[in-house]
Amino acid sequence: MSTSSRKLFGTDGIRGTANKPPMDAGTALRLGQAAGKFFNRGSHRHRVVIGKDTRISGYMLEPAMTAGFVGAGMDVMLVGPLPTPAIAMLTRSLRCDLGVMISASHNPFEDNGIKLFGPDGLKLSDAQEAEIEALMEAPNFAASLAAPKKLGRASRLDDAPGRYIEAAKAAFPKGRSLEGLRIGIDCAHGAAYKVAPTVLWELGAEVVSTGVSPDGFNINHDCGATAPGRLAELVRERRADLGIALDGDADRVVLCDERGRIIDGDQILAAIAGAWNREGRLTGGGVVATVMSNLGLERHLSGLGLALHRTKVGDRYVGEKMREAGCNLGGEQSGHVILSDFATTGDGLVAALQVLALLVEERRPASEVCRRFAPLPQLLENIRFTGSSPLADAEVTCAIDAAGTRLGTRGRVLVRASGTEPLIRVMAEAEDEAEMRATVADLSALIRARAAAGAVKKATAAE
C-alpha cells in the first residue's frame, strides 16, 4: 500500500470532528485493533500506553481504543491527561510497543485526534500508517485478533505525571535555579494544566498560571499558544519575567517577553541555536525548520556559520530531517521545537526551559535574549475550498511561479494545501511590506476565484 493511499492519517495522525467518522468510537476501536495487531510481534507480553488531553470526547475515544488494543492481545496502560511529549517519553521508558495520544492539539474542543508513537518514541512513518490502514480495511481482519486466552488487560499508571515532571526538570541545567524569576504560564486548559506549573515551581520560580481549569469544552478557547493575548496581558499586569503559552497537548510553545511581546518558534530556535553553538552542544552544523520559517531566521543562522535545513510542514518531518542531518535542534515557526537531546517530539515546556536557562545565565531580560533577528514582513492567508484543489489549476501554478520570480532574493512565496483541513495557505514574505501584501492579495484573489468555480462545478455534478 503506497503512502499516497492513506485516507485516515494526515500530517499529524488522524483528526476530525468528534463523534463523526473518523473520530467516532467505531473507527477508534478498529484503529486500536489494527495498530495492536501491527505491533503485536514477538513472544513477549505486548503493551501500549494511552494518554489524552482534556476534551470531553476523550471519554469516548479512550475506552474505544482500549477495547481495540485488548482485543488485539495488548495490555493497556492509561495515564489520563498528559502532554504529547510525555506519551512519547513513557512509550520508550516503559518499553511499550506503542504509544497513543488522543488529542487534536491546538484545535477547538469539537475536534479530536489520535497520534501514534512507535517503541522508539517516534511518530510513525507514512508507510507504517498506510499498513495500519490496510489492516483496518482487510475483509478477514477480525479473524486474526486474539483468542480469548490471549486478550490483554487494562490498568492505570498513577505515577505517570511524576515521571514526566522529573524528565522535564532534568532538561534544565543542573546546579541552576529559577529562583527570583516570576513566570506566567497559559496551559490552554489542556493536557499540561497540572504538570507544567509544577515543573516551574519545583525549579524555584514564582508561577502565575492561567488556562489551568479544564471543563472538557474550554481547551484552546481564546487562550494558549494560538491566542497568546491573554498571557501577554497577564505578564504585563503581574510584571513577569517571561510568559509561556502552550497549546492543548503542550507539544508547541509561544513565549512573550516582559513587555508582553510575542516570541514565536523562529526566535526560540535562533536563541537556542546561538547558545548551543557557543557551548559546542549544537550538532549537525545547523538547525532544521519548515518551509514556513522566516527568511530572517535563515539569514541569521547563516551569519553564525550555521545551515537551515527546510522540510515540509509537520514536526514529524522536522524530526525525520534532524535524524538524517545529525541535528539536535529543529522546529516550526508555530512553536513545535524538537530538542532531540531530551525528547523525540516537540515539547513546549522543555523548549521554554532552555530559554529560561538563557535568562538565568545571561542575566538579561527576555526582550533582549529572545530577539536574535529582525524577521522579514510575512503574511499568511487561508482560503477554504470544496471540490478539487485550486492548486491543480494551471493558471494558479503559473501565477505562483511568476510571483516567486518577481520577488527573487528579496523574499519568498509559499502556497500549499493544509494537511489537516480543506484549506489553501498562501504565504509571502519580502523585504518590502507593500510588495509582500500585494503578492498575497493577488494570489489569494485568483485562488479564491478558482475555489468558487470548483464549488459550483461540484454542486452542478451532484444535481
Side-chain angles (χ1 to χ4, degrees), residues 259-275:
R259 301 174 187 175
R261 296 187 304 178
I262 303 304
I263 302 164
D264 66 11
D266 284 348
Q267 294 286 359
I268 295 171
L269 287 173
I272 297 173

PDB file of all heavy atoms in Angstrom, residues 259-275:
ATOM      1  N   ARG A 259       7.676  42.604  28.274  1.00  0.00           N
ATOM      2  CA  ARG A 259       6.826  43.689  27.778  1.00  0.00           C
ATOM      3  C   ARG A 259       5.522  43.176  27.181  1.00  0.00           C
ATOM      4  O   ARG A 259       4.689  43.955  26.733  1.00  0.00           O
ATOM      5  CB  ARG A 259       7.579  44.490  26.717  1.00  0.00           C
ATOM      6  CG  ARG A 259       8.883  45.105  27.228  1.00  0.00           C
ATOM      7  CD  ARG A 259       9.639  45.756  26.095  1.00  0.00           C
ATOM      8  NE  ARG A 259      10.954  46.216  26.519  1.00  0.00           N
ATOM      9  CZ  ARG A 259      11.864  46.733  25.690  1.00  0.00           C
ATOM     10  NH1 ARG A 259      11.584  46.863  24.394  1.00  0.00           N
ATOM     11  NH2 ARG A 259      13.038  47.116  26.141  1.00  0.00           N
ATOM     12  N   GLY A 260       5.372  41.862  27.134  1.00  0.00           N
ATOM     13  CA  GLY A 260       4.167  41.271  26.558  1.00  0.00           C
ATOM     14  C   GLY A 260       4.246  41.070  25.066  1.00  0.00           C
ATOM     15  O   GLY A 260       3.232  40.769  24.425  1.00  0.00           O
ATOM     16  N   ARG A 261       5.422  41.198  24.478  1.00  0.00           N
ATOM     17  CA  ARG A 261       5.584  40.993  23.035  1.00  0.00           C
ATOM     18  C   ARG A 261       5.808  39.513  22.736  1.00  0.00           C
ATOM     19  O   ARG A 261       6.577  38.839  23.433  1.00  0.00           O
ATOM     20  CB  ARG A 261       6.744  41.824  22.493  1.00  0.00           C
ATOM     21  CG  ARG A 261       6.524  43.328  22.628  1.00  0.00           C
ATOM     22  CD  ARG A 261       7.618  44.111  21.932  1.00  0.00           C
ATOM     23  NE  ARG A 261       8.941  43.746  22.430  1.00  0.00           N
ATOM     24  CZ  ARG A 261      10.072  44.258  21.954  1.00  0.00           C
ATOM     25  NH1 ARG A 261      10.051  45.144  20.971  1.00  0.00           N
ATOM     26  NH2 ARG A 261      11.239  43.892  22.458  1.00  0.00           N
ATOM     27  N   ILE A 262       5.157  39.031  21.682  1.00  0.00           N
ATOM     28  CA  ILE A 262       5.161  37.602  21.356  1.00  0.00           C
ATOM     29  C   ILE A 262       6.505  37.186  20.766  1.00  0.00           C
ATOM     30  O   ILE A 262       7.097  37.882  19.940  1.00  0.00           O
ATOM     31  CB  ILE A 262       4.018  37.272  20.379  1.00  0.00           C
ATOM     32  CG1 ILE A 262       2.673  37.699  20.986  1.00  0.00           C
ATOM     33  CG2 ILE A 262       3.998  35.783  20.050  1.00  0.00           C
ATOM     34  CD1 ILE A 262       2.376  37.097  22.346  1.00  0.00           C
ATOM     35  N   ILE A 263       6.951  36.005  21.173  1.00  0.00           N
ATOM     36  CA  ILE A 263       8.184  35.392  20.680  1.00  0.00           C
ATOM     37  C   ILE A 263       7.797  34.065  20.034  1.00  0.00           C
ATOM     38  O   ILE A 263       7.358  33.138  20.715  1.00  0.00           O
ATOM     39  CB  ILE A 263       9.173  35.148  21.835  1.00  0.00           C
ATOM     40  CG1 ILE A 263       9.503  36.455  22.560  1.00  0.00           C
ATOM     41  CG2 ILE A 263      10.436  34.464  21.331  1.00  0.00           C
ATOM     42  CD1 ILE A 263      10.146  36.252  23.912  1.00  0.00           C
ATOM     43  N   ASP A 264       7.935  33.953  18.715  1.00  0.00           N
ATOM     44  CA  ASP A 264       7.475  32.746  18.019  1.00  0.00           C
ATOM     45  C   ASP A 264       8.570  31.682  17.959  1.00  0.00           C
ATOM     46  O   ASP A 264       9.682  31.851  18.480  1.00  0.00           O
ATOM     47  CB  ASP A 264       6.941  33.073  16.624  1.00  0.00           C
ATOM     48  CG  ASP A 264       8.018  33.580  15.659  1.00  0.00           C
ATOM     49  OD1 ASP A 264       9.228  33.489  15.977  1.00  0.00           O
ATOM     50  OD2 ASP A 264       7.648  34.060  14.568  1.00  0.00           O
ATOM     51  N   GLY A 265       8.245  30.573  17.314  1.00  0.00           N
ATOM     52  CA  GLY A 265       9.161  29.445  17.246  1.00  0.00           C
ATOM     53  C   GLY A 265      10.464  29.765  16.548  1.00  0.00           C
ATOM     54  O   GLY A 265      11.525  29.216  16.908  1.00  0.00           O
ATOM     55  N   ASP A 266      10.437  30.644  15.560  1.00  0.00           N
ATOM     56  CA  ASP A 266      11.677  31.001  14.855  1.00  0.00           C
ATOM     57  C   ASP A 266      12.665  31.689  15.796  1.00  0.00           C
ATOM     58  O   ASP A 266      13.871  31.402  15.777  1.00  0.00           O
ATOM     59  CB  ASP A 266      11.364  31.922  13.669  1.00  0.00           C
ATOM     60  CG  ASP A 266      10.772  31.178  12.480  1.00  0.00           C
ATOM     61  OD1 ASP A 266      10.804  29.935  12.482  1.00  0.00           O
ATOM     62  OD2 ASP A 266      10.280  31.846  11.554  1.00  0.00           O
ATOM     63  N   GLN A 267      12.160  32.622  16.613  1.00  0.00           N
ATOM     64  CA  GLN A 267      13.040  33.319  17.558  1.00  0.00           C
ATOM     65  C   GLN A 267      13.548  32.365  18.643  1.00  0.00           C
ATOM     66  O   GLN A 267      14.700  32.474  19.094  1.00  0.00           O
ATOM     67  CB  GLN A 267      12.309  34.503  18.196  1.00  0.00           C
ATOM     68  CG  GLN A 267      11.939  35.630  17.232  1.00  0.00           C
ATOM     69  CD  GLN A 267      13.133  36.473  16.811  1.00  0.00           C
ATOM     70  OE1 GLN A 267      14.261  36.257  17.243  1.00  0.00           O
ATOM     71  NE2 GLN A 267      12.883  37.453  15.953  1.00  0.00           N
ATOM     72  N   ILE A 268      12.704  31.433  19.056  1.00  0.00           N
ATOM     73  CA  ILE A 268      13.134  30.441  20.046  1.00  0.00           C
ATOM     74  C   ILE A 268      14.259  29.582  19.471  1.00  0.00           C
ATOM     75  O   ILE A 268      15.274  29.326  20.134  1.00  0.00           O
ATOM     76  CB  ILE A 268      11.940  29.562  20.477  1.00  0.00           C
ATOM     77  CG1 ILE A 268      10.897  30.411  21.214  1.00  0.00           C
ATOM     78  CG2 ILE A 268      12.402  28.406  21.368  1.00  0.00           C
ATOM     79  CD1 ILE A 268       9.597  29.686  21.486  1.00  0.00           C
ATOM     80  N   LEU A 269      14.102  29.143  18.220  1.00  0.00           N
ATOM     81  CA  LEU A 269      15.155  28.359  17.567  1.00  0.00           C
ATOM     82  C   LEU A 269      16.451  29.149  17.472  1.00  0.00           C
ATOM     83  O   LEU A 269      17.542  28.623  17.730  1.00  0.00           O
ATOM     84  CB  LEU A 269      14.704  27.931  16.167  1.00  0.00           C
ATOM     85  CG  LEU A 269      13.646  26.831  16.077  1.00  0.00           C
ATOM     86  CD1 LEU A 269      13.204  26.649  14.628  1.00  0.00           C
ATOM     87  CD2 LEU A 269      14.173  25.514  16.633  1.00  0.00           C
ATOM     88  N   ALA A 270      16.338  30.436  17.122  1.00  0.00           N
ATOM     89  CA  ALA A 270      17.536  31.263  16.979  1.00  0.00           C
ATOM     90  C   ALA A 270      18.256  31.416  18.315  1.00  0.00           C
ATOM     91  O   ALA A 270      19.492  31.329  18.378  1.00  0.00           O
ATOM     92  CB  ALA A 270      17.153  32.640  16.422  1.00  0.00           C
ATOM     93  N   ALA A 271      17.487  31.629  19.381  1.00  0.00           N
ATOM     94  CA  ALA A 271      18.097  31.825  20.700  1.00  0.00           C
ATOM     95  C   ALA A 271      18.805  30.563  21.174  1.00  0.00           C
ATOM     96  O   ALA A 271      19.953  30.611  21.646  1.00  0.00           O
ATOM     97  CB  ALA A 271      17.026  32.246  21.706  1.00  0.00           C
ATOM     98  N   ILE A 272      18.133  29.420  21.038  1.00  0.00           N
ATOM     99  CA  ILE A 272      18.731  28.165  21.496  1.00  0.00           C
ATOM    100  C   ILE A 272      19.920  27.783  20.618  1.00  0.00           C
ATOM    101  O   ILE A 272      20.967  27.345  21.119  1.00  0.00           O
ATOM    102  CB  ILE A 272      17.679  27.045  21.514  1.00  0.00           C
ATOM    103  CG1 ILE A 272      16.557  27.380  22.506  1.00  0.00           C
ATOM    104  CG2 ILE A 272      18.325  25.709  21.898  1.00  0.00           C
ATOM    105  CD1 ILE A 272      15.380  26.398  22.475  1.00  0.00           C
ATOM    106  N   ALA A 273      19.776  27.967  19.300  1.00  0.00           N
ATOM    107  CA  ALA A 273      20.866  27.611  18.380  1.00  0.00           C
ATOM    108  C   ALA A 273      22.122  28.410  18.688  1.00  0.00           C
ATOM    109  O   ALA A 273      23.235  27.864  18.712  1.00  0.00           O
ATOM    110  CB  ALA A 273      20.433  27.838  16.934  1.00  0.00           C
ATOM    111  N   GLY A 274      21.966  29.716  18.924  1.00  0.00           N
ATOM    112  CA  GLY A 274      23.123  30.539  19.215  1.00  0.00           C
ATOM    113  C   GLY A 274      23.832  30.107  20.485  1.00  0.00           C
ATOM    114  O   GLY A 274      25.062  30.002  20.518  1.00  0.00           O
ATOM    115  N   ALA A 275      23.043  29.825  21.528  1.00  0.00           N
ATOM    116  CA  ALA A 275      23.636  29.406  22.810  1.00  0.00           C
ATOM    117  C   ALA A 275      24.318  28.054  22.687  1.00  0.00           C
ATOM    118  O   ALA A 275      25.455  27.869  23.151  1.00  0.00           O
ATOM    119  CB  ALA A 275      22.552  29.368  23.881  1.00  0.00           C
TER     120      ALA A 275
END
